[in-house]
Amino acid sequence: IEAKMRSGLGLLLVLSGCRGLVQPVPSSKYAKRRFVLERIAQALTPVVLLSSWPVSASSETLGRLKSGFQNINFLLANWDSETFKSCPTTQVALAAECDRLPDKIPTALGLRSTTAPLYKVEKLFQDAIQSGDVDDIDSWTEATDAFIQHSTSAQEYAYTASFGEYNPSGGKDQVAKYMDLSKKELVQARDALRDVLTQLAVDIN
């Protein structure tokens, strides 16, 4: 590692000699590695700008993220009509007495079709961050991590709801319970994706 550090520092001095980038090198091993990487990145900036690196996220990436957001928002806005399959007609039915459609959740999240807008959403996030359109990497990471976390939880609760009626001590009340939990997670996933789109300056109205 030390040999690589010395080699990296040598390259750094060559690249940055005329740019005033020579600064005191930290003593900590990890701080030193970070120092070298940061200085080399600064020295190579003109090379990056003249390369074929994209200047903005592709319209396809932005369009898919926006469509995915709209699909989730539609599902939440029409939750009852979209997720209730049938209810008893002989009396006033409670949610815990109805047949549900848990598969609506993974469908909206792009987990049921390779042509879904949010299919392989991590790849879409990667394409967007590489475009350089994101100003605050910490806010971006927080938003994308939140979406992955809450969308995964929403899918897991929906999956549990799919079998809630058939598990030991299960029933339609258990299905309703996990559908409610899935909806709460889906709301947070939707909000996180809105944050992502806002950071990419995408109009979601």
Side-chain angles (χ1 to χ4, degrees):
I1 293 176
E2 290 300 323
K4 291 181 179 179
M5 291 300 302
R6 287 193 295 271
S7 175
L9 283 170
L11 174 60
L12 168 64
L13 293 175
V14 172
L15 291 171
S16 63
C18 297
R19 300 190 59 192
L21 293 177
V22 179
Q23 300 176 16
V25 180
S27 58
S28 164
K29 177 176 66 176
Y30 296 107
K32 188 182 295 182
R33 290 173 62 184
R34 182 179 180 84
F35 172 85
V36 171
L37 292 174
E38 289 176 346
R39 300 290 81 73
I40 290 177
Q42 290 179 19
L44 291 177
T45 298
V47 178
V48 173
L49 293 177
L50 293 174
S51 71
S52 59
W53 196 262
V55 296
S56 62
S58 70
S59 57
E60 179 186 1
T61 294
L62 299 181
R64 287 178 59 185
L65 289 173
K66 181 176 180 177
S67 293
F69 171 83
Q70 292 173 332
N71 288 345
I72 295 173
N73 208 37
F74 175 84
L75 177 58
L76 289 170
N78 300 276
W79 184 257
D80 289 351
S81 61
E82 289 292 312
T83 66
F84 282 77
K85 181 179 181 181
S86 62
C87 295
T89 57
T90 56
Q91 59 185 7
V92 177
L94 302 175
E97 300 173 327
C98 300
D99 292 323
R100 306 294 293 272
L101 296 169
D103 200 55
K104 292 283 187 172
I105 290 88
T107 297
L109 292 171
L111 301 172
R112 285 290 181 267
S113 172
T114 59
T115 61
L118 295 182
Y119 177 68
K120 291 188 176 180
V121 68
E122 294 91 341
K123 176 66 165 53
L124 299 179
F125 290 157
Q126 181 182 2
D127 291 344
I129 190 62
Q130 288 180 345
S131 71
D133 289 343
V134 177
D135 294 326
D136 188 335
I137 187 62
D138 291 331
S139 294
W140 171 264
T141 300
E142 182 179 353
T144 54
D145 284 354
F147 176 80
I148 297 300
Q149 174 190 339
H150 293 298
S151 62
T152 299
S153 295
Q155 154 65 3
E156 290 173 347
Y157 283 133
Y159 179 81
T160 303
S162 299
F163 299 95
E165 193 172 354
Y166 309 103
N167 290 331
S169 70
K172 285 185 170 60
D173 61 328
Q174 290 299 301
V175 175
K177 169 188 173 181
Y178 284 105
M179 287 295 288
D180 287 344
L181 291 171
S182 181
K183 182 181 181 181
K184 290 178 181 178
E185 292 294 327
L186 194 61
V187 167
Q188 295 187 74
R190 185 269 315 275
D191 293 345
L193 188 53
R194 178 192 287 121
D195 189 3
V196 168
L197 291 168
T198 298
Q199 293 186 50
L200 293 171
V202 175
D203 183 7
I204 57 176
N205 296 322

